[in-house]
Amino acid sequence: MIKGRLPVGQMSSVVAPAKQSNDMGPKEVELILVKEQNGVQFTNSTLINPAQTTTGTEERETWAKKIDFLLSVIGFAVDLANVWRFPYLCYKNGGGAFLVPYLFFMIIAGMPLFYMELALGQYNREGAAGVWKICPLFKGVGFTVILISLYVGFYYNVIIAWALYYLFSSFTGNLPWVNCNNTWNSLNCSDIWTFNRTSHNVTRRSTPAAEYFERGVLHLHESEGINDLGLPRWQLTSCLTVVIVVLYFSLWKGVRTSGKVVWITATMPYVVLTGLLLRGVTLPGAIDGIKAYLSVDFHRLWETSVWIDAATQICFSLGVGFGVLIAFSSYNKFSNNCYRDAIITSSVNSLTSFFSGFVVFSFLGYMAQKHNVALEDVATDGPGLVFIIYPEAIATLPWSSVWSVIFFIMLLTLGIDSAMGGMESVITGLIDEFKFLRKHRKLFTLFIVVSTFLISLFCVTNGGIYVFTLLDHFAAGTSILFGVLIEAIGIAWFYGVGRFSDDIEEMIGHRPGLYWRLCWKYVSPLFLLCMVVISFGTFKPPYYGTYVFPVWANIIGWCVAISSMAMVPIYAIYKLCVLPGTFRDKLAYAITPEREHHLVENGEVRQFKLRHWLMM
């Protein structure tokens, strides 16, 4: 499909476009050249039917309303990590001072990369793999991010299943994690926190809430390690089944259905967080917790670890590199203002993280005072915060069951829309690449969610937390940073930041400013390269509590990580092998947009000229 570039005499062809393939033929490209030579420029609204796809007369689905898209992006980017990760990092790394490196990396890398992915998907109207018709050599990175999203789904859905299990358990007059009189409790269970003065650590695992999570829900005590998983627990399997069913019926008809679901899943967390904050600030010790959260220690900014934590949080919190932003934006109208969307949604994500810190630390301050321990001995991140510390705090409140139901509904909504985004990335990416699947979207969606369910069963066994930890550590760590790095290089350097800016101008009517172009070409790739190097250099093997994973488990973990990253060189080699001509010809075809392949035959390859690499 020709997007906004035609000579005057061809306007009628937009009304009734002829069927064509993904590779634009000489006729279509010649029309573009005539337009440019004549200096005639048409607005997108005149020339483009936004619902039209690159495959001809078949129309591409679009969002029913603009707000559906915004809520979907916000719902995906704002996930459980906003609640259990950012507030802890902020407290751990100097309180308010942590915002300095966080905002710095947001400006030079987070927002530019977010904007880049939204624009890439919207202009090319394809999923994570299909967009690389702009530079076929790099299509492997599309499969990299699709694989990463699939891997994350294997264990992320399990978190939602845990939240659902807790939600069902909350419909009782006496919450099951309040006392030690249950069948799953050990002899070491005590509702009094003990402080080990030698190790300076609070023993949380002996509390009723900790034992409920590890012994009552996970049944971890029945496993000796990852080599002793056991069978799936029927209770968690049932919850996982419900999650999969909800995901399927949210995705089976495309963005028209998922766009309606996010009206609930993306807005509910803000209502619940506000309610929890209003309740939390009334608790004794809450103000002390909030003061600790906001305390400013600028001396911490001299520590390298603080900057690494901020950079890592930016990379993962915005959701770049999963293919989700590309997939979602590909269903936008061609003239949609993706620049404004990038600013709004990335800002909302960061503000949500900051706001959730007040909620979290109001309750942590309360817990610290209640148990007469220092706040640092209560503060934690990850599943331990939302499945141990927070439930224990809620259990001490009047109407505890009601607050528990509200809290876990929030966790469910935070998780569901993020899981929907990950699955949509996989579905859209593969359907757009393999066109025959478009007619069978419902069946293909069923195949994806069922496959995810079957792998997730390993995470709901007695030793499932070990599989969960292994996947969480390897599936989307270094590999996601590597994927975004290759993506940034492919767009800014090989396709060309100038050409990419022209595409954006064609959509929204103005070119990105110099700041954005500098970030795309120099700053963001350099930032990502540093992050990849640091990720390899600071790698630590996974662990859960005192359990150390065996060597073979770490090997499997690295195989998972490498399998996604390997898609980049594997596809590049494959592409160079199947293209015709000498190696120079092969390379020329591989780095030239598919719609310009006729130029290669004439020896006109932009990437073989110095001007292309210097262009801004």
Side-chain angles (χ1 to χ4, degrees):
M1 171 181 172
I2 302 170
K3 296 175 177 156
R5 292 173 177 164
L6 288 172
V8 176
Q10 295 297 327
M11 289 184 65
S12 60
S13 66
V14 177
V15 179
K19 187 173 182 179
Q20 61 189 49
S21 64
N22 281 341
D23 294 339
M24 298 175 65
K27 180 179 180 181
E28 289 79 7
V29 176
E30 183 180 355
L31 294 176
I32 293 174
L33 294 177
V34 170
K35 175 263 175 185
E36 293 178 344
Q37 290 170 357
N38 292 341
V40 182
Q41 184 167 354
F42 297 92
T43 61
N44 172 66
S45 59
T46 303
L47 297 174
I48 293 298
N49 174 3
Q52 190 74 25
T53 70
T54 56
T55 57
T57 57
E58 182 183 354
E59 292 189 348
R60 185 174 183 82
E61 184 180 20
T62 57
W63 298 97
K65 297 179 181 178
K66 172 66 175 288
I67 191 65
D68 294 353
F69 165 70
L70 292 176
L71 289 177
S72 295
V73 174
I74 291 172
F76 166 71
V78 177
D79 67 349
L80 295 167
N82 292 76
V83 175
W84 75 31
R85 183 66 176 161
F86 176 85
Y88 174 75
L89 287 179
C90 196
Y91 164 75
K92 169 189 170 186
N93 293 303
F98 179 72
L99 296 178
V100 174
Y102 179 83
L103 292 176
F104 174 73
F105 289 129
M106 166 69 84
I107 292 172
I108 69 166
M111 282 187 173
L113 293 170
F114 200 92
Y115 182 16
M116 180 185 73
E117 288 205 347
L118 290 185
L120 180 67
Q122 182 172 308
Y123 185 84
N124 293 283
R125 304 182 67 74
E126 299 257 5
V131 295
W132 288 102
K133 58 191 175 185
I134 64 173
C135 189
L137 186 69
F138 284 80
K139 182 176 281 191
V141 75
F143 293 112
T144 292
V145 300
I146 289 172
L147 263 182
I148 291 173
S149 290
L150 187 63
Y151 291 160
V152 170
F154 293 159
Y155 68 90
Y156 195 86
N157 294 338
V158 176
I159 304 176
I160 308 173
W162 292 343
L164 185 61
Y165 186 93
Y166 268 80
L167 176 63
F168 290 148
S169 301
S170 300
F171 289 100
T172 178
N174 188 24
L175 295 174
W177 54 85
V178 171
N179 54 58
C180 297
N181 301 326
N182 305 287
T183 56
W184 58 79
N185 290 127
S186 68
L187 296 177
N188 294 324
C189 181
S190 172
D191 58 1
I192 301 176
W193 287 25
T194 58
F195 188 67
N196 189 322
R197 295 294 177 184
T198 303
S199 63
H200 299 286
N201 188 28
V202 175
T203 306
R204 298 190 187 97
R205 293 197 168 197
S206 60
T207 64
E211 291 211 345
Y212 178 75
F213 178 61
E214 295 193 337
R215 299 173 67 90
V217 177
L218 304 181
H219 285 256
L220 184 59
H221 60 290
E222 298 181 22
S223 171
E224 296 180 358
I226 196 169
N227 58 331
D228 179 29
L229 296 179
L231 296 174
R233 306 291 307 181
W234 71 266
Q235 298 93 332
L236 289 179
T237 301
S238 301
C239 292
L240 185 61
T241 302
V242 173
V243 172
I244 293 298
V245 170
V246 170
L247 285 176
Y248 174 71
F249 284 106
S250 298
L251 296 168
W252 70 323
K253 289 186 178 180
V255 295
R256 292 281 175 165
T257 53
S258 63
K260 298 298 181 291
V261 176
V262 293
W263 278 81
I264 298 175
T265 58
T267 57
M268 179 66 75
Y270 293 97
V271 176
V272 176
L273 281 172
T274 302
L276 289 173
L277 177 62
L278 295 176
R279 182 65 182 96
V281 294
T282 64
L283 299 173
I287 301 302
D288 294 331
I290 293 175
K291 286 181 178 178
Y293 171 54
L294 297 177
S295 63
V296 178
D297 182 6
F298 286 111
H299 295 291
R300 298 296 304 278
L301 296 180
W302 295 102
E303 299 178 16
T304 307
S305 61
V306 174
W307 292 81
I308 293 176
D309 281 346
T312 304
Q313 180 64 16
I314 283 295
C315 286
F316 295 111
S317 66
L318 289 178
V320 294
F322 289 93
V324 178
L325 302 179
I326 295 175
F328 280 164
S329 62
S330 72
Y331 296 106
N332 276 334
K333 295 181 178 179
F334 186 77
S335 58
N336 175 66
N337 192 335
C338 54
Y339 167 71
R340 182 178 56 199
D341 294 345
I343 299 299
I344 292 174
T345 51
S346 58
S347 299
V348 168
N349 176 73
S350 296
L351 290 173
T352 303
S353 297
F354 185 65
F355 175 69
S356 65
F358 290 91
V359 181
V360 170
F361 275 86
S362 63
F363 278 87
L364 291 182
Y366 163 66
M367 289 296 292
Q369 178 168 315
K370 174 178 170 56
H371 293 284
N372 196 28
V373 297
L375 183 67
E376 63 184 25
D377 300 320
V378 182
T380 186
D381 64 342
L385 173 65
V386 296
F387 291 111
I388 298 178
I389 303 299
Y390 228 91
E392 182 173 357
I394 289 174
T396 63
L397 303 177
W399 300 88
S400 58
S401 295
V402 175
W403 286 109
S404 182
V405 168
I406 293 173
F407 176 72
F408 287 109
I409 286 178
M410 180 192 72
L411 291 190
L412 282 174
T413 54
L414 280 172
I416 284 291
D417 47 16
S418 295
M420 284 167 52
M423 289 294 98
E424 187 61 58
S425 171
V426 177
I427 295 166
T428 296
L430 294 178
I431 283 180
D432 284 343
E433 182 62 20
F434 305 102
K435 310 297 183 186
F436 69 92
L437 292 174
R438 288 184 175 179
K439 296 181 180 179
H440 311 286
R441 178 183 170 105
K442 294 180 181 179
L443 285 176
F444 183 64
T445 301
L446 181 63
F447 170 76
I448 292 296
V449 298
V450 170
S451 299
T452 303
F453 169 77
L454 294 176
I455 301 297
S456 298
L457 289 177
F458 287 100
C459 296
V460 295
T461 58
N462 293 335
I465 190 65
Y466 300 122
V467 179
F468 173 92
T469 303
L470 194 69
L471 287 172
D472 183 43
H473 195 81
F474 286 102
T478 303
S479 55
I480 197 74
L481 297 173
F482 173 80
V484 183
L485 171 62
I486 301 301
E487 182 180 283
I489 293 173
I491 294 172
W493 287 89
F494 283 82
Y495 182 59
V497 71
R499 187 64 178 274
F500 187 57
S501 299
D502 291 340
D503 295 345
I504 293 176
E505 182 180 16
E506 192 177 340
M507 291 189 292
I508 66 177
H510 60 84
R511 287 170 63 84
L514 180 61
Y515 158 73
W516 297 103
R517 302 198 302 272
L518 284 173
C519 286
W520 287 331
K521 189 156 188 175
Y522 299 108
V523 181
S524 296
L526 182 60
F527 164 80
L528 290 166
L529 178 61
C530 291
M531 288 305 302
V532 170
V533 173
I534 290 172
S535 179
F536 277 111
T538 59
F539 173 79
K540 295 180 181 178
Y543 64 89
Y544 182 79
T546 58
Y547 180 78
V548 178
F549 285 80
V551 175
W552 65 265
N554 281 278
I555 294 175
I556 292 177
W558 274 112
C559 287
V560 170
I562 293 173
S563 66
S564 58
M565 292 187 285
M567 291 294 103
V568 174
I570 288 175
Y571 188 86
I573 294 172
Y574 159 77
K575 195 66 178 178
L576 291 173
C577 289
V578 299
L579 287 171
T582 64
F583 179 78
R584 186 180 187 279
D585 294 334
K586 292 174 181 285
L587 182 61
Y589 280 114
I591 62 178
T592 301
E594 292 179 357
R595 65 178 178 268
E596 297 178 1
H597 276 185
H598 71 291
L599 297 177
V600 178
E601 300 172 3
N602 299 329
E604 301 175 16
V605 183
R606 291 183 297 108
Q607 290 85 346
F608 286 172
K609 299 177 182 179
L610 181 61
R611 182 173 177 272
H612 167 81
W613 302 97
L614 299 179
M615 185 179 295
M616 282 296 300

